[in-house]
Amino acid sequence: MLLIHCPYCKENRPEIEFAYAGEAHIVRPDAIVQSEMTDEEWSKFMFIRNNFRGEHAERWWHNAGCNMFFNAIRNTKTDKFVMTYKMGENRPTKTQIEAAKK
Amino acid sequence: MKNFRSQTGSVINEKEVIKFSFDSKIYFGYGGDTLSSALLANGVHLIGRSFKYHRPRGILSSGSEEPNAIVTFDRGEGKITPNVRATTLEIFEGLQVFSQNSYPNLKFDIGAFNNIFSMFFPAGFYNKTFMWPKSFWDKVYEPFIRNLAGLGPAPVNEDPDNYASSYEHCETLIIGSGPAGIAAALTASQKEGRVILVDEQPEIGGSLLSSSNKKIDNMGADQWLSEARSKLEKSNNVKIMTRTTAIGYWHDNFVALSERLTDHMSEVPDGRAREQLHRIRAKRVILAQGAIERPLVFNGNDKPGVMLSNAAQTYLNKYGVRVGDNISIFTSHDSAYETAFELCDAKVSVSVIIDLRKEIDADLLAKAQSRGIVVHLNSSISKTYGKLRINSFEVFEPALNKKFKVKCDALIMSGGWTPSLHLWSHSKGTIKWNKDLSAYIPDKAHENVCCIGSCNGSFGIAKALNQGNSVFENSKKYIVKEQSFGTGVVSSNIPSYVSKEKQKAFVDFQNDVTEKDISLAVQEGFKSIEHVKRYTTNGMATDQGKTSNLNALEIASREVGSSIEKVGLTTFRPPYTPTTFGTFVGYRDKELFDPVRKTPIDAWAESNSAIYEPVGLWRRARFFPKDDENMDQAVARECKSTRDSLGIFDASTLGKIEVVGPDATKFMNLMYCTSWTSLKVGNCRYGLMLGEDGYIYDDGVVARIAEDRYHVTTTTGGAPRVFRHMEDYLQTEFNDLNVWLTSTTEQWAVIALNGPHARDILEPLVEGIDLSADFFPHMSVRLGSICGIPTRLFRVSFTGELGFEINVPSHYGLALWEILMAEGSKYKITPYGTEAMHVLRAEKGFIIVGQDTDGTVTPHDAGMAWAVAKKKKDFVGMRSLKRKDLVSGMRKQLVGLLTEDPLTVLAEGSQVVLDPKQPKPMKMIGHVTSSYWSESLGKSVAMAVIEDGFNRMGEDVYIPMPTGTIQAKVCKSVFYDPEGKRIHV
């Protein structure tokens, strides 16, 4: 039973309170850019995701808690959460990730 | 009956004499005995018959690693537990146990005939034999194998016991209460923080319970243990849990403990839970699980009377039982010598020690000789004799090519020791191979956990005690007087003059896997240990390979010719030992298995004979049968009454979301493909929601309550999905919009009234709303009250008749329903369920998302291109709708089907073809999504998605069924009142 730190509740909560919400930092293009994208480019935005081995930036939803979506860095190999951060914040830098590991 | 008690065992209470039965024969034992110790005390060694070959089997060990001595435990009243280890089953007055897998009885078992034919049953035989002729499988082979194979009988009754469960937290969780665990607990108890000390046995102490001849800090080990126990029991911060197995170790130090509460009692208090599952979150876990002795793999090593040497030592010291009167020893490890000496000193005859090694410690040799034990070094055993009990064995000295027989009634063996790494591995700690021990030991931790004592390869009481201290930075060292644990070699290749093909050298006793089977697997190309395991089934029995995994690994790597690390080790999986299903279920059984969501009106439905169907977690009335009606009759009546006069329906389960804020309209326009800007306050509109992929995601009627307020409805099953979809976009994409969402599904009870008299019944009850057609047109909403209850009254219809949906705060739902039922009797008001609701809407061609759509249907496919706003700048799904595939010609499109024979009702999901005579596999051009008998039209109606459906109006299509092919005509999907006259009255 994973413990996940909700950055809004500021607490570790068990994983059953959350729902996984896919890779983070994928920005939906605005309407004009959408209309200029080829079907191929649009499919890439829709369906192609990184299958990253190691520190992965992803989203979680605290649906049985505060109802907020947030971001997390989780190592997909060890399944350990390195850090969580609020929605809208930038992907942490390598330095920030290393600091969070300590 | 002869008595094999040599002394008083450390856990034995001779004042408590216990009567029990095994295979209906009465025996006596003492308080503290396990079934195995009590049977051995009575001289009984034959306990069961093996799984495949029906070979007679006895007791191999004294612990939970036991593979052979498994019995059926009958607690009466149908409470039967098969495959219980005799070594862990505590006896109590009146205990009844039965041997397994023999017929007609244990001594004379006809199943043993397959022992003679065992050459036909090597590893993997299931894959190679019993294949031809195919027809024989059902009638001959399968019943034959089923009767012959298997262990104990499965219980046939429902489990009547209760099981409890709880969650607990602690700072330190110590698993295993041998010397290491107890020392750790003693140190931890001196510090801040809660300590839980867990042991699978009825008493703490582990190996200290059979170590009375050893000294710790100048007192006997048993006295030290007694004082330690006392200290721990008096500590405020220590919880001792016995008869408790740590069954698994998960993320973030989450450990599950299975505590057995009543199986050891002859009188169980009424209603007492049988077992309890404790889910522990520990800050730190200390594993002190000990090590398990390895059997030697030699020809005939499975006879009753062949046991592990530490088991003999445990039976002697802990239970006071000698396992034989003339014991011999076969070993490649020093530790067996200690057992030999203790047996000798207890006046048990020990004749020989057969040691595989060429040289041993001179001191050990001297001690053996001084006791009159003959030691044969560089020697092996090539055969064992005896049918139901070992009576002798043949020694083979390869260097001298010498053979001779030795008589015995018990042969105890030691092939080395395997540190227990089960929970460590569950926690994803890595392991590394230790050449000296010829075993894996823990390497890197993945959680806040460490291993102390023999489970990390540190043998002996002194090391265990001191590690229990050092793990808490306590540098105090214990003074221990004990025989050195010694060393040994592990040999996967026991010398023998008997050819390997003729040997029966068992590796996995419970699954009857021999050394030959493993060699055969490698010969047939299985080189990875994972494949060898599954092909031979080694390690796959209920003991999960505790005594066999490493021996199998040694043999496999020898055969493959690769180092052990390269061949690998199979995965350890929870539970550590077999655990009752009930323990995992806990309280979540029967009514508590899944939450059942009920509407406020459910109580009325229940007392009015509603037949329910589950819709997600909701239970919804499907139909209300009158008298002897079946479903078809009830539904036909409900539909007819609604269209003729008045029907009433509980629509409370529909999802509702209140969308509020200055940017509410902007947000709604983005989330739906329909447009909201022109929707006036007080009006309703059908909303079609797409996924970003352009496919229909959900739908529902939406009412504009105010400029900045929408009352959104969703499908029953889709409510959580739609809410998540909206919150996701609002929080992560459109987060600059000033709008907020509230889920109100459970806040509104919704009663639908449909039929020509729908307005008539409401007229006298509603206040503050003009119900006339001019002032309250179809698809509008009004605020007012009904019978004094505040209401949002929608004029909407899912049936095609004049319809209203009354939304009231949910706690008024039942009362309002009852008033309407009473008021409506003059209109012959008819309650209808979800089945009639489905039929009525299908007659009008209204889709149900999730039934007529499946996540791959676009608005255009569903004939709803009109719902897609043409002039919006952006909405979820907009870009995908322009994808080539979504605008292609050959997409499946939603149409109606009328069967050639109107009385034939198509089956939902059945496939549609153009030419029923084509060869199989046929080209399927679509399938039936909804299909019903229409009482109103007197014929069957159906909807289907069919390739290029819109261009096939009037075409004949065919639906092949096992009973025959059905012909139908493609038509428009609106069957009843296509002009929509009835809805606008």
Side-chain angles (χ1 to χ4, degrees):
Chain A
M1 175 76 77
L2 270 174
L3 285 172
I4 304 180
H5 187 263
C6 173
Y8 294 95
C9 295
K10 295 197 172 46
E11 248 190 73
N12 279 341
R13 303 298 302 174
E15 63 183 271
I16 51 175
E17 291 187 8
F18 300 87
Y20 181 68
E23 192 180 337
H25 305 299
I26 296 174
V27 179
R28 183 176 182 270
D30 79 40
I32 297 175
V33 176
Q34 282 181 39
S35 63
E36 288 164 359
M37 288 166 88
T38 62
D39 276 357
E40 177 110 20
E41 288 165 341
W42 180 248
S43 284
K44 194 153 176 271
F45 159 72
M46 284 290 300
F47 304 117
I48 308 299
R49 296 287 177 269
N50 277 315
N51 187 17
F52 193 68
R53 180 182 168 90
E55 265 115 36
H56 181 248
E58 56 194 29
R59 310 182 319 148
W60 286 84
W61 183 37
H62 198 183
N63 63 333
C66 63
N67 193 43
M68 297 305 286
F69 280 81
F70 60 92
N71 295 312
I73 303 288
R74 178 181 63 92
N75 187 312
T76 55
K77 187 169 167 260
T78 63
D79 207 17
K80 288 244 175 257
F81 276 82
V82 176
M83 59 190 287
T84 57
Y85 50 108
K86 291 184 177 169
M87 186 53 59
E89 289 176 11
N90 289 329
R91 178 199 298 267
T93 61
K94 275 208 163 75
T95 326
Q96 286 172 314
I97 292 179
E98 290 308 308
K101 282 201 211 157
K102 293 200 176 76
Chain B
M1 210 173 299
K2 188 161 177 206
N3 181 315
F4 285 78
R5 304 261 180 198
S6 284
Q7 57 197 42
T8 304
S10 68
V11 300
I12 294 296
N13 174 13
E14 282 168 5
K15 292 205 186 89
E16 188 189 351
V17 176
I18 295 173
K19 184 167 87 172
F20 67 97
S21 79
F22 173 53
D23 278 353
S24 304
K25 187 161 170 202
I26 305 283
Y27 295 93
F28 291 92
Y30 291 131
D33 263 329
T34 58
L35 177 65
S36 58
S37 66
L39 286 174
L40 288 171
N42 282 276
V44 177
H45 277 252
L46 176 62
I47 308 291
R49 290 274 178 167
S50 70
F51 170 55
K52 235 191 329 180
Y53 302 132
H54 284 247
R55 289 167 72 91
R57 288 286 167 80
I59 297 162
L60 185 78
S61 74
S62 60
S64 61
E65 68 270 24
E66 178 61 37
N68 273 337
I70 50 179
V71 298
T72 296
F73 174 26
D74 187 350
R75 287 176 293 135
E77 299 162 348
K79 293 187 269 193
I80 291 187
T81 312
N83 307 337
V84 175
R85 288 146 297 172
T87 51
T88 57
L89 181 59
E90 298 172 62
I91 62 167
F92 56 84
E93 182 71 20
L95 167 70
Q96 287 192 78
V97 284
F98 298 91
S99 66
Q100 302 182 154
N101 206 28
S102 66
Y103 183 81
N105 61 51
L106 202 43
K107 288 213 169 92
F108 178 73
D109 170 35
I110 61 167
F113 88 86
N114 75 0
N115 201 1
I116 305 164
F117 296 109
S118 59
M119 66 197 92
F120 296 119
F121 301 117
F125 83 95
Y126 336 97
N127 298 331
K128 300 172 195 158
T129 51
F130 301 118
M131 297 250 198
W132 180 90
K134 210 160 156 190
S135 58
F136 267 42
W137 178 252
D138 283 337
K139 296 191 189 75
V140 181
Y141 302 140
E142 198 197 343
F144 171 74
I145 292 174
R146 274 194 188 281
N147 277 324
L148 227 43
L151 298 169
V156 294
N157 294 340
E158 223 179 89
D159 187 343
D161 283 308
N162 296 324
Y163 297 84
S165 81
S166 59
Y167 289 83
E168 283 140 66
H169 293 80
C170 66
E171 276 59 49
T172 308
L173 174 64
I174 302 170
I175 300 173
S177 70
I182 289 185
L186 284 170
T187 305
S189 72
Q190 304 290 322
K191 299 180 188 279
E192 291 282 309
R194 298 157 293 187
V195 181
I196 299 179
L197 176 65
V198 168
D199 201 289
E200 58 180 352
Q201 302 206 22
E203 279 188 50
I204 61 169
S207 61
L208 293 174
L209 291 167
S210 34
S211 306
S212 58
N213 59 351
K214 302 180 167 91
K215 282 198 165 17
I216 301 172
D217 284 351
N218 292 317
M219 64 180 99
D222 49 350
Q223 193 194 336
W224 183 89
L225 173 60
S226 169
E227 290 184 13
R229 181 190 300 120
S230 188
K231 274 195 207 129
L232 291 172
E233 281 165 358
K234 292 200 181 82
S235 300
N236 286 337
N237 60 341
V238 177
K239 179 174 176 184
I240 299 176
M241 297 179 72
T242 54
R243 295 189 179 94
T244 303
T245 303
I247 53 171
Y249 191 151
W250 287 275
H251 288 103
D252 293 324
N253 275 6
F254 187 80
V255 178
L257 310 176
S258 164
E259 181 182 10
R260 293 165 292 286
L261 298 168
T262 63
D263 274 2
H264 60 285
M265 299 176 176
S266 58
E267 295 289 326
V268 179
D270 237 358
R272 185 84 206 273
R274 182 178 173 218
E275 298 187 7
Q276 180 163 353
L277 184 71
H278 301 260
R279 293 175 172 91
I280 312 287
R281 183 81 69 182
K283 187 132 179 251
R284 183 180 188 191
V285 176
I286 313 278
L287 295 174
Q289 291 194 274
I292 295 173
E293 195 166 27
R294 289 162 70 158
L296 286 167
V297 181
F298 61 97
N299 188 27
N301 64 343
D302 68 320
K303 285 199 173 49
V306 180
M307 307 176 69
L308 291 170
S309 92
N310 90 97
Q313 180 184 39
T314 302
Y315 284 118
L316 180 69
N317 293 318
K318 194 172 164 191
Y319 302 101
V321 175
R322 62 183 184 278
V323 299
D325 274 334
N326 180 13
I327 299 178
S328 292
I329 291 157
F330 185 22
T331 184
S332 64
H333 196 283
D334 290 342
S335 60
Y337 284 76
E338 186 181 51
T339 304
F341 302 156
E342 286 178 16
L343 284 167
C344 242
D345 296 347
K347 310 261 189 304
V348 184
S349 170
V350 178
S351 51
V352 294
I353 297 180
I354 312 297
D355 199 317
L356 283 165
R357 299 171 288 177
K358 293 200 179 78
E359 280 172 6
I360 60 162
D361 182 74
D363 188 49
L364 272 185
L365 197 50
K367 283 198 175 124
Q369 285 163 345
S370 75
R371 284 175 172 83
I373 304 173
V374 180
V375 178
H376 295 273
L377 295 176
N378 203 17
S379 300
S380 174
I381 292 183
S382 48
K383 285 186 189 163
T384 61
Y385 301 93
K387 216 177 89 166
L388 300 176
R389 172 80 178 267
I390 189 169
N391 60 32
S392 55
F393 55 91
E394 184 183 58
V395 181
F396 173 56
E397 293 186 32
L400 308 167
N401 204 16
K402 196 163 139 199
K403 295 177 215 156
F404 57 95
K405 264 182 155 174
V406 175
K407 283 211 179 100
C408 73
D409 65 353
L411 175 63
I412 65 183
M413 58 178 170
S414 181
W417 290 83
T418 306
S420 290
L421 297 170
H422 307 74
L423 291 186
W424 171 264
S425 297
H426 295 172
S427 78
K428 299 206 177 79
T430 58
I431 56 179
K432 61 183 176 198
W433 183 253
N434 180 301
K435 256 197 356 238
D436 299 322
L437 297 173
S438 216
Y440 280 104
I441 57 171
D443 189 12
K444 291 196 187 61
H446 186 69
E447 300 284 354
N448 187 356
V449 58
C450 63
C451 296
I452 55 175
S454 52
C455 72
N456 76 17
S458 310
F459 293 94
I461 291 176
K463 280 203 189 133
L465 290 169
N466 291 330
Q467 284 184 6
N469 273 353
S470 62
V471 86
F472 288 103
E473 279 104 43
N474 177 355
S475 54
K476 177 207 174 220
K477 292 263 184 280
Y478 286 90
I479 305 161
V480 178
K481 278 220 177 65
E482 59 176 331
Q483 173 156 331
S484 159
F485 188 77
T487 59
V489 301
V490 170
S491 173
S492 77
N493 214 346
I494 309 272
S496 180
Y497 66 88
V498 180
S499 73
K500 292 272 185 206
E501 289 76 53
K502 291 214 168 77
Q503 287 188 39
K504 271 220 152 54
F506 285 87
V507 183
D508 183 323
F509 293 93
Q510 195 166 120
N511 266 356
D512 265 348
V513 180
T514 62
E515 181 179 6
K516 218 175 8 178
D517 292 329
I518 296 173
S519 307
L520 183 64
V522 173
Q523 205 181 326
E524 295 196 13
F526 297 101
K527 305 255 191 297
S528 136
I529 195 63
E530 296 283 1
H531 289 145
V532 170
K533 168 183 172 175
R534 284 156 180 83
Y535 193 65
T536 63
T537 74
N538 192 91
M540 290 176 73
T542 67
D543 62 324
Q544 234 193 88
K546 290 182 176 61
T547 50
S548 66
N549 277 340
L550 248 59
N551 279 340
L553 183 56
E554 296 263 0
I555 295 165
S557 79
R558 174 193 86 206
E559 293 290 310
V560 170
S562 205
S563 76
I564 291 209
E565 295 106 296
K566 280 227 174 69
V567 179
L569 185 65
T570 53
T571 310
F572 293 97
R573 294 189 171 88
Y576 175 66
T577 43
T579 304
T580 309
F581 274 109
T583 309
F584 293 109
V585 170
Y587 305 118
R588 294 171 309 188
D589 194 14
K590 302 193 177 60
E591 299 83 37
L592 297 181
F593 180 73
D594 243 347
V596 178
R597 297 178 81 179
K598 298 178 187 176
T599 72
I601 296 156
D602 180 89
W604 185 93
E606 182 160 16
S607 42
N608 281 274
S609 321
I611 303 298
Y612 289 100
E613 68 160 346
V615 182
L617 288 174
W618 293 98
R619 77 169 188 175
R620 301 191 73 180
R622 192 171 185 196
F623 58 100
F624 296 88
K626 268 196 176 148
D627 308 317
D628 294 323
E629 280 179 333
N630 62 24
M631 180 170 87
D632 291 338
Q633 292 162 335
V635 171
R637 174 183 53 77
E638 289 172 13
C639 288
K640 188 166 194 311
S641 302
T642 301
R643 291 208 187 285
D644 284 352
S645 181
L646 181 60
I648 181 170
F649 175 72
D650 179 4
S652 303
T653 61
L654 254 59
K656 305 160 205 81
I657 302 174
E658 195 91 338
V659 178
V660 186
D663 293 329
T665 303
K666 273 205 191 119
F667 181 68
M668 291 292 288
N669 278 336
L670 284 165
M671 296 311 299
Y672 287 84
C673 65
T674 35
S675 180
W676 303 99
T677 315
S678 61
L679 182 66
K680 293 195 177 66
V681 173
N683 282 356
C684 299
R685 185 172 288 175
Y686 173 74
L688 193 56
M689 178 179 273
L690 312 182
E692 197 70 82
D693 53 13
Y695 299 123
I696 293 174
Y697 190 74
D698 205 83
D699 69 353
V701 169
V702 175
R704 191 160 190 177
I705 305 294
E707 277 301 311
D708 62 351
R709 181 177 293 263
Y710 290 85
H711 176 127
V712 169
T713 69
T714 75
T715 61
T716 295
R721 265 185 325 140
V722 171
F723 187 72
R724 172 182 170 149
H725 182 78
M726 286 183 159
E727 281 287 352
D728 190 343
Y729 277 91
L730 180 55
Q731 289 184 35
T732 71
E733 290 295 348
F734 310 137
N735 56 323
D736 53 342
L737 293 181
N738 192 357
V739 58
W740 51 96
L741 315 172
T742 311
S743 165
T744 52
T745 300
E746 293 176 347
Q747 277 58 46
W748 295 105
V750 184
I751 298 173
L753 291 168
N754 283 263
H757 288 296
R759 186 184 286 112
D760 300 330
I761 182 180
L762 282 176
E763 211 97 70
L765 304 174
V766 168
E767 299 120 13
I769 301 175
D770 183 340
L771 295 173
S772 68
D774 292 330
F775 285 95
F776 197 175
H778 177 61
M779 289 299 265
S780 48
V781 62
R782 299 286 178 264
L783 273 52
S785 59
I786 176 166
C787 305
I789 306 163
T791 181
R792 284 183 185 175
L793 183 61
F794 288 55
R795 184 176 164 186
V796 297
S797 168
F798 202 41
T799 62
E801 302 303 322
L802 168 66
F804 295 88
E805 282 181 12
I806 313 163
N807 283 247
V808 292
S810 46
H811 50 280
Y812 291 113
L814 181 58
L816 180 59
W817 178 280
E818 286 171 340
I819 292 171
L820 289 167
M821 281 302 296
E823 288 292 313
S825 61
K826 49 176 152 326
Y827 304 110
K828 299 208 195 73
I829 189 167
T830 302
Y832 64 91
T834 53
E835 194 64 26
M837 178 268 286
H838 275 107
V839 178
L840 293 167
R841 63 90 202 177
E843 287 170 342
K844 292 296 295 176
F846 296 147
I847 63 163
I848 285 186
V849 173
Q851 172 147 348
D852 304 293
T853 72
D854 62 359
T856 68
V857 176
T858 67
H860 186 269
D861 297 338
M864 292 200 283
W866 54 263
V868 182
K870 304 287 178 290
K871 293 213 184 90
K872 276 205 266 188
K873 260 206 300 223
D874 188 13
F875 61 87
V876 172
M878 182 178 77
R879 176 61 186 83
S880 284
L881 284 180
K882 300 201 184 85
R883 278 176 62 214
K884 255 198 312 281
D885 288 335
L886 271 65
V887 299
S888 91
M890 287 314 278
R891 290 189 62 80
K892 290 192 180 140
Q893 295 165 338
L894 190 67
V895 294
L897 286 179
L898 285 169
T899 44
E900 172 84 356
D901 168 18
L903 297 176
T904 304
V905 180
L906 295 170
E908 285 170 359
S910 50
Q911 299 295 310
V912 178
V913 303
L914 284 177
D915 171 13
K917 298 205 179 70
Q918 65 183 290
K920 290 185 199 150
M922 296 188 176
K923 174 144 179 22
M924 294 164 280
I925 59 164
H927 68 276
V928 176
T929 62
S930 292
S931 174
Y932 310 96
W933 169 253
S934 166
E935 185 69 8
S936 309
L937 298 167
K939 59 184 171 188
S940 89
V941 297
M943 297 203 278
V945 285
I946 295 182
E947 267 174 32
D948 201 26
F950 298 154
N951 288 331
R952 294 187 191 279
M953 293 297 139
E955 241 182 79
D956 285 325
V957 294
Y958 301 87
I959 295 94
M961 296 293 286
T963 45
T965 298
I966 304 171
Q967 186 179 327
K969 220 180 255 303
V970 179
C971 59
K972 289 226 182 318
S973 55
V974 186
F975 303 96
Y976 179 85
D977 182 26
E979 286 107 55
K981 293 201 187 101
R982 297 177 70 85
I983 208 169
H984 285 291
V985 299

